[in-house]
Amino acid sequence: MDFKYDVIVIGAGHAGCEAAVAAANLGSKTCLITMDMNKVGQMSCNPAVGGIAKGQIVREVDALGGYMGLITDETAIQFRILNRSKGPAMWSPRAQCDRNKFIWAWREVLENTKNLHIWQDTVKEILVENGEVTGLVTLLDVTFHTKTIVLTAGTFLNGLMHVGKTQITGGRMAEPSSYYLTESIARHGVQYARMKTGTPVRIDGRSVDYSLMDTQDGESDFHKFSFMNTSVRHLKQLQCWTCFTNEEVHNILRNGLPDSPLYNGQIQSIGPRYCPSIETKIVTFPDKTQHQLFLEPEGETTQEQYLNGFSSSLPLDIQLAALRKVPAFRNLVIYRPGYAIEYDFFDPTQLKHSLESKIIKNLFFAGQVNGTTGYEEAAGQGIIAGINAHINCHGGEPFTLERDEAYIGVLIDDLVTKGVDEPYRMFTSRAEYRILLRQDDADIRLTEKAWKLGLVKEDRYNLLKTKKEAIDRIVNFTKDYSIKAALINDALENLGTTPLKHGCKLVDLISRPQITIENIAEHIPAFKRELDTIAERKEEIIEAAEIQIKYQGYIERERMIANKLSRLETIKIKGKFDYENLQSLSTEARQKLIKIDPETIAQASRIPGVSPSDVNVLLVLSQKDSNVPRETIN
C-alpha cells in the first residue's frame, strides 16, 4: 500500500467525513484515518440534524456539494421546520435520524468515493519540517507522507469522561481517547486549552409511560434538507414526546450537587452556556419549578430513547432517583447514564479564514478542535477545510465565504476573529444579514460557487438553473399581470383581506399577509396555468418565489447595507502595520490586532476590543495607500 497522499483527514466525524469527500471529489488523493470504521459520522449526542441556524448550515453544506443533507434525508425518522410562526429568515429545518442507519449511509458514501482511502488507526504525531506539514505517524507505527492534513479529532484529544466522581478516559463512551497528538502539535507553538460538553441518559423506551407525556409530531410536506431532486421520506416517521421536571426532581438534584463534577471542582474546563446540564439549570434558574424534557427515538426499530434537556454528569444513582420522580418515568430503566466529557481544543484565532493554521503550513483544523459544538457547525467547517486542503495541493486562491454569503461564513469569521470563551454554537442572532441567509435559498447563494470549484457536477448545476428560471418566471408574471377589482374582490373577501378599490398588479396582492401564491392562483386561471408548467419541485419553487415577493423590500435593504459594509472587506491591511508601535490605537486594540493580524479593515472592526475610533485610525492610515479609493473611507 502506498502511504503517500495529497490530503489526510484525521477523524471521521461530521467534519472529517465532509472534508475527506470534498477533497477526494475535487481530485486529491485522500486518506481518512479513523479509530473505528463502524463509527464514521457517529452522532455522539442526540441523533438529530439541524435546528435553529444549524438547519441553515446543513442546507449550505448540501448546496456546496456536501453529503450531510442527503444522508439526513435518507435516515430521518422525523422532520420538522422550526420557527414557522416567525419570518422565513428564522425558519430552520430539523430532523431526528436513525443513529445506526446514518453511520452506515455515511460509510457507503466514503467507501464508494473515488480517490478516497480509509485507514483504521490512531494518529499520535504530526510530522513538520521547516514549519510545514510533511506527514504523520500512527499508533501502529505507520508513517504517512502527505502534502496537507485536516485535523477533525472532535472530543478525542485527551478526552476524559465524568459520571459523578468516576472518571473514564475516552472520546465517547466505550471509545478510547487520542493521546500524544495534542502535544505533537503544541510543540510547534500552537496554543490549546480544555473544553467540556455533556450528554444525557439513554432510556429503555419500554419503561416509559407515554400516556403521561405530550406528543410532538413531525411534518409530512415537501420540505427536506437536500436541494437534490430526491424523495422526501425513506423511513417510518416516528413521534417524539415531551414532559417536565418538577420540584421533587429538583430537590434530589440540588442535594446531589456536592457530587457533581461541575460544582465540586473536578471539572475546571469551559462548558456550553447554551446547552447547559440539568444541574446547571437548577442553579442558574433557582425560581423555575419545572424544565421541559424531550424524549426522542434513537432509531426506527430500537427501544433506545434520548432524553433531550437532561444532560448531566451527576452520579448514576442521583440521575436515576431524580428521573423517577417524573410521573412518566416512575418505572424507568436506562441503558447508560449521562456524562460530561473534557477534551483539548486549539485557539481558532490561530487560523486563517481558509481554516489553515497560521503557524504550521498546510495543517487545517475543523470541528470541535476549533472550540465549536454541534454536528452542523463541524460539517460546515469540514467542507471548507477539505476544499482548501485540495487547493493547497493543486494551486488556486483560498475558498472562503463572507458573512453575507453563508452562515458558514459567519461561523468561521467569528472563530478566527473573535475566538471562543465557551463551546461555540450557531444562532440566527449571530448573523447580521440573516434575511439574506435563509434556508430556502442556500443553493442559489452557493451552488454556483461549488460548480466553479468542480465540487458540484453539471446535473446538479442544471437543477439550480432550472429552479432559478422557474422562480424568475413566477416573480415576473406577478409583476406584469394586472388584476381588475371587480374580478377579484369576492375572492379577496373570502380570503379575509380588504377588497380593491381599483386594479393593481398581482405582485401587490401577494405581498398581503393573507394571500399566498397558491390561494390566489385558484382565482386567476392564467396564473394557475403558469404554475402548472413547473414539472418538478413545484412546492419548493413556489415557496421561494413567494418569499422573494413578500420580503423583497427587506431583502433589498439588507443587501444594500451588506454591499456598503463589504467595501471595508476590500481594504487589505495584513502585514501593513506595526501595531505595537501605533500609539494612536488603544492598548487593547494593539494587543488584539497583534494576536489576530486581520486580513482587512472589516475583519479588524469585528475584533472584540477594537473600537470604532481604532478602526478610523486604521482607515486614515490605509488612505495613504493609493489603491484605496477615498469614498471607501468616508
Side-chain angles (χ1 to χ4, degrees):
M1 181 173 176
D2 185 3
F3 294 102
K4 293 183 179 180
Y5 290 92
D6 295 323
V7 179
I8 293 180
V9 179
I10 302 172
H14 304 279
C17 288
E18 294 290 357
V21 174
N25 282 337
L26 285 169
S28 284
K29 184 181 179 185
T30 305
C31 184
L32 176 62
I33 300 179
T34 177
M35 291 180 178
D36 189 345
M37 289 175 61
N38 295 321
K39 296 291 179 65
V40 298
Q42 169 69 294
M43 294 167 152
S44 305
C45 203
N46 193 357
V49 171
I52 296 170
K54 293 169 174 282
Q56 284 87 327
I57 292 176
V58 179
R59 299 213 94 192
E60 290 172 355
V61 169
D62 180 77
L64 288 169
Y67 285 81
M68 179 176 261
L70 285 163
I71 290 173
T72 299
D73 288 342
E74 184 179 336
T75 61
I77 52 178
Q78 189 189 89
F79 185 94
R80 289 187 295 143
I81 297 286
L82 308 182
N83 279 341
R84 280 190 181 273
S85 62
K86 301 179 180 179
M90 306 295 284
W91 296 350
S92 302
R94 181 189 189 273
Q96 193 76 12
C97 294
D98 185 302
R99 182 189 299 277
N100 292 322
K101 288 183 172 67
F102 191 94
I103 291 171
W104 286 100
W106 251 124
R107 182 161 170 176
E108 183 177 350
V109 168
L110 296 170
E111 290 189 28
N112 291 283
T113 296
K114 185 179 178 182
N115 302 317
L116 178 59
H117 298 162
I118 304 175
W119 180 259
Q120 184 166 301
D121 201 346
T122 301
V123 177
K124 66 178 181 181
E125 184 178 3
I126 299 287
L127 301 178
V128 178
E129 293 181 11
N130 300 319
E132 184 173 346
V133 158
T134 61
L136 57 83
V137 181
T138 73
L139 282 183
L140 290 175
D141 282 327
V142 179
T143 299
F144 286 77
H145 301 282
T146 185
K147 297 176 183 177
T148 61
I149 291 175
V150 182
L151 178 63
T152 67
T155 61
F156 281 78
L157 297 179
N158 296 315
L160 179 64
M161 294 175 287
H162 302 261
V163 182
K165 294 179 181 179
T166 302
Q167 297 179 331
I168 308 167
T169 59
R172 277 190 294 256
M173 189 61 74
E175 297 181 54
S177 297
S178 172
Y179 296 106
Y180 317 116
L181 185 53
T182 296
E183 293 74 17
S184 84
I185 294 171
R187 74 169 63 108
H188 297 284
V190 180
Q191 296 179 346
Y192 72 97
R194 299 280 278 174
M195 274 191 176
K196 168 262 171 189
T197 189
T199 191
V201 60
R202 301 307 198 276
I203 287 173
D204 185 336
R206 294 170 297 181
S207 66
V208 176
D209 186 345
Y210 295 102
S211 69
L212 299 176
M213 304 185 79
D214 294 323
T215 60
Q216 189 175 54
D217 298 324
E219 299 172 358
S220 58
D221 65 6
F222 69 92
H223 288 98
K224 55 189 178 68
F225 272 107
S226 181
F227 289 101
M228 294 293 282
N229 197 16
T230 55
S231 57
V232 179
R233 306 286 177 261
H234 295 263
L235 304 182
K236 180 182 178 181
Q237 299 300 287
L238 303 179
Q239 286 180 328
C240 294
W241 309 81
T242 66
C243 62
F244 291 88
T245 61
N246 53 50
E247 276 296 341
E248 286 187 283
V249 174
H250 295 184
N251 287 334
I252 293 174
L253 295 173
R254 287 190 193 99
N255 291 334
L257 287 178
D259 294 317
S260 168
L262 293 175
Y263 292 97
N264 64 14
Q266 187 172 312
I267 292 178
Q268 297 290 333
S269 50
I270 310 165
R273 179 162 42 120
Y274 298 108
C275 188
S277 66
I278 189 65
E279 51 263 42
T280 301
K281 289 179 184 177
I282 64 167
V283 170
T284 306
F285 307 105
D287 297 330
K288 288 201 70 170
T289 58
Q290 61 180 20
H291 293 282
Q292 191 168 23
L293 304 176
F294 302 85
L295 191 63
E296 299 167 327
E298 295 253 338
E300 186 181 21
T301 57
T302 181
Q303 290 291 344
E304 189 173 359
Q305 302 275 342
Y306 178 96
L307 189 59
N308 200 340
F310 204 88
S311 177
S312 179
S313 59
L314 284 163
L316 167 60
D317 59 336
I318 295 174
Q319 291 187 42
L320 199 52
L323 283 170
R324 284 177 173 166
K325 294 299 181 181
V326 176
F329 301 148
R330 62 184 180 274
N331 298 314
L332 191 67
V333 175
I334 67 173
Y335 289 112
R336 65 181 181 274
Y339 61 90
I341 180 168
E342 293 182 281
Y343 56 94
D344 296 339
F345 78 100
F346 298 93
D347 181 356
T349 62
Q350 301 168 107
L351 301 177
K352 304 174 184 178
H353 279 80
S354 63
L355 295 179
E356 182 185 10
S357 171
K358 296 176 181 177
I359 299 167
I360 303 175
K361 184 175 173 57
N362 290 330
L363 176 61
F364 293 80
F365 295 79
Q368 284 183 277
V369 293
N370 285 338
T372 62
T373 181
Y375 315 138
E376 304 81 4
E377 290 89 341
Q381 295 169 71
I383 196 168
I384 299 299
I387 290 168
N388 283 302
H390 166 82
I391 289 171
N392 275 25
C393 293
H394 301 281
E397 291 297 313
F399 180 76
T400 60
L401 295 171
E402 301 296 337
R403 296 181 70 91
D404 62 339
E405 292 180 317
Y407 272 93
I408 296 172
V410 175
L411 163 66
I412 293 175
D413 185 62
D414 279 352
L415 291 176
V416 304
T417 302
K418 302 175 182 178
V420 292
D421 55 11
E422 63 182 341
Y424 180 102
R425 179 179 180 179
M426 179 54 71
F427 293 100
T428 52
S429 59
R430 295 192 191 271
E432 58 268 48
Y433 307 119
R434 54 186 173 271
I435 201 164
L436 301 180
L437 308 182
R438 307 180 311 276
Q439 57 87 30
D440 67 277
D441 71 342
D443 55 340
I444 294 174
R445 289 185 274 120
L446 300 175
T447 295
E448 186 168 356
K449 292 177 181 288
W451 178 69
K452 289 177 179 177
L453 283 171
L455 196 54
V456 161
K457 305 308 178 188
E458 194 74 25
D459 59 339
R460 178 158 194 163
Y461 185 53
N462 288 337
L463 271 178
L464 171 67
K465 289 195 294 185
T466 301
K467 175 181 174 178
K468 288 174 68 175
E469 289 166 0
I471 292 170
D472 289 344
R473 281 203 318 272
I474 294 173
V475 173
N476 291 334
F477 183 96
T478 65
K479 290 179 178 179
D480 295 338
Y481 192 85
S482 298
I483 298 285
K484 292 184 177 179
L487 298 179
I488 199 67
N489 275 344
D490 287 346
L492 295 181
E493 289 194 60
N494 289 334
L495 292 171
T497 188
T498 306
L500 296 174
K501 294 183 178 179
H502 47 75
C504 69
K505 295 293 186 182
L506 177 56
V507 68
D508 297 320
L509 281 185
I510 295 173
S511 297
R512 296 184 179 189
Q514 301 89 349
I515 304 296
T516 67
I517 285 178
E518 291 190 286
N519 69 22
I520 200 67
E522 295 299 317
H523 306 281
I524 305 172
F527 190 32
K528 190 173 187 306
R529 287 194 296 271
E530 180 67 27
L531 298 180
D532 288 341
T533 63
I534 304 171
E536 296 180 329
R537 303 162 76 190
K538 182 177 180 180
E539 297 97 333
E540 176 186 334
I541 289 166
I542 288 175
E543 179 182 81
E546 188 167 306
I547 289 171
Q548 280 196 25
I549 292 168
K550 287 183 178 293
Y551 295 90
Q552 182 180 5
Y554 298 101
I555 293 169
E556 289 177 350
R557 183 175 63 184
E558 200 156 275
R559 172 51 58 199
M560 182 180 67
I561 294 170
N563 289 342
K564 183 177 180 180
L565 294 178
S566 70
R567 290 182 291 178
L568 297 181
E569 299 284 1
T570 66
I571 308 177
K572 305 293 183 182
I573 59 173
K574 188 176 179 67
K576 287 189 176 182
F577 304 124
D578 178 5
Y579 296 117
E580 189 170 2
N581 293 314
L582 281 181
Q583 297 303 313
S584 50
L585 296 173
S586 68
T587 300
E588 184 179 8
R590 291 200 302 274
Q591 293 171 345
K592 293 293 182 67
L593 290 165
I594 289 169
K595 179 183 178 181
I596 305 298
D597 193 15
E599 295 282 344
T600 65
I601 290 283
Q603 187 188 357
S605 71
R606 295 190 290 269
I607 298 173
V610 177
S611 69
S613 62
D614 294 319
V615 173
N616 284 334
V617 170
L618 296 176
L619 281 168
V620 170
L621 293 172
S622 298
Q623 187 177 347
K624 296 177 181 178
D625 186 341
S626 60
N627 293 325
V628 180
R630 178 171 293 275
E631 62 268 23
T632 303
I633 297 167
N634 290 339

